[in-house]
Amino acid sequence: MKIIIGYKYDKETIEKKRAYIFNELIKASVNIKTGIIKDISISDLKILFELYDSIFLSNWFKDTFKGSFKFSLSKRMTKSAGLTLCPKNINVLNPENIVIEFRIGVNFFFQYDLIDRTKIVCGIETNNGLEALQLVLEHEICHAIEYLYFYKSSCRGDRFKTIANNLFGHTNSYHQLPTNKELAMKKFDLSIGDKISFIFKGKKLKGIIYRINKRATIMVQDKNGQYVDKQGDRYVKYYVDLNRIVK
Ligand SMILES: [Zn+2]
């Protein structure tokens, strides 16, 4: 049996292999014709995965994994750009019955160019949506390897970090791709700490933006409020739609 766990590539080799895969995917895909991702299908993920298996892993998955892979695209992922789903009882399953699913949060790649700043994924600077997708899939591949060897996987653990660094040169386990939250903040020009106002039950209230998710959390000074700051001022918390906020 081939042993993948000891593979270690130097930076130059990794960059060459990654660039080769980038070009091969563009050749093979009907949706992705440049680094900019406007459309993507499950078969693109499958092609990309198979390229990785062949170019980085000497077909380790293909030759040794008896189970199957599933690929999925999600528009609902807002924090993670990728997920690897593996049955919890993988250690007792027949190898043929193991299904490992790679799920990709497509919005991160469609929205890649909407914000102009450096976008680092797994510690590596990316130039376009396809490069970002490659790094996210590399991360998920490390999860799959860890699951198959050890039946458990966590990208916070040292073992995972070593695998990801040896194979792909990753130096951390997170991405800095534009999130819905960042895009909303940009669209409405809002930041944490902004002094703003909004209308609540016909009354104009003034407050400070404390948090932004789908809606903003606004703290409004109120002597009967249950939240107290360091100065002893009291606040009431409101959840307000971003489009109702006036700076
Ligand atoms: Zn992870």
Side-chain angles (χ1 to χ4, degrees):
M1 187 178 126
K2 277 186 230 167
I3 296 177
I4 198 70
I5 210 81
Y7 274 36
K8 184 171 169 61
Y9 295 116
D10 60 46
K11 191 166 176 260
E12 201 185 322
T13 307
I14 292 168
E15 282 169 2
K16 261 196 205 148
K17 287 178 183 287
R18 193 177 279 138
Y20 177 79
I21 290 175
F22 180 96
N23 290 321
E24 288 300 303
L25 179 86
I26 285 175
K27 273 189 221 163
S29 169
V30 288
N31 301 301
I32 302 169
K33 285 293 155 206
T34 68
I36 299 168
I37 298 181
K38 291 183 191 150
D39 200 1
I40 186 168
S41 69
I42 303 256
S43 70
D44 294 320
L45 290 184
K46 196 164 176 279
I47 295 167
L48 194 57
F49 173 78
E50 284 168 359
L51 282 166
Y52 268 97
D53 194 22
S54 136
I55 304 301
F56 273 91
L57 307 172
S58 323
N59 285 319
W60 180 74
F61 285 115
K62 192 177 159 201
D63 294 344
T64 63
F65 179 50
K66 304 266 187 306
S68 54
F69 288 106
K70 194 181 157 190
F71 300 88
S72 60
L73 302 166
S74 166
K75 289 197 167 175
R76 292 207 305 229
M77 286 160 68
T78 55
K79 287 203 176 88
S80 299
L83 275 177
T84 303
L85 304 163
C86 175
K88 285 223 161 47
N89 58 344
I90 178 173
N91 57 329
V92 295
L93 285 176
N94 277 333
E96 296 78 25
N97 296 334
I98 297 171
V99 180
I100 292 182
E101 177 177 347
F102 295 113
R103 187 175 295 167
I104 295 295
V106 284
N107 289 341
F108 288 98
F109 308 100
F110 294 150
Q111 295 168 354
Y112 184 92
D113 290 302
L114 295 184
I115 290 193
D116 187 21
R117 59 162 172 74
T118 310
K119 288 146 208 160
I120 293 171
V121 180
C122 303
I124 293 166
E125 200 171 320
T126 61
N127 297 300
N128 51 55
L130 178 51
E131 284 184 16
L133 174 64
Q134 285 184 262
L135 284 152
V136 169
L137 187 66
E138 289 169 13
H139 179 91
E140 303 314 322
I141 286 170
C142 294
H143 275 302
I145 292 171
E146 203 181 28
Y147 275 124
L148 292 174
Y149 264 99
F150 305 102
Y151 307 135
K152 272 187 180 156
S153 180
S154 164
C155 47
R156 282 174 303 218
D158 289 340
R159 184 176 66 200
F160 181 97
K161 287 175 187 167
T162 304
I163 297 170
N165 185 261
N166 283 350
L167 275 177
F168 300 118
H170 294 184
T171 55
N172 67 43
S173 291
Y174 51 90
H175 71 77
Q176 295 165 1
L177 298 171
T179 58
N180 287 346
K181 176 178 159 182
E182 187 181 356
L183 290 164
M185 286 165 75
K186 187 191 170 204
K187 181 176 170 196
F188 295 104
D189 190 25
L190 301 173
S191 307
I192 309 296
D194 281 355
K195 290 181 179 155
I196 56 89
S197 64
F198 61 97
I199 305 293
F200 182 76
K201 291 185 178 170
K203 256 175 59 182
K204 185 176 175 181
L205 298 179
K206 285 183 182 175
I208 292 170
I209 300 181
Y210 179 70
R211 191 181 292 139
I212 300 178
N213 285 319
K214 270 188 188 142
R215 291 185 292 170
T217 308
I218 312 289
M219 303 305 266
V220 174
Q221 212 168 337
D222 185 320
K223 62 181 190 310
N224 300 315
Q226 58 166 314
Y227 298 94
V228 187
D229 70 8
K230 282 182 197 136
Q231 284 78 40
D233 293 324
R234 293 185 158 272
Y235 296 86
V236 172
K237 184 156 82 174
Y238 292 83
Y239 297 104
V240 185
D241 289 329
L242 300 181
N243 58 4
R244 288 174 49 217
I245 291 172
V246 180
K247 287 233 279 188

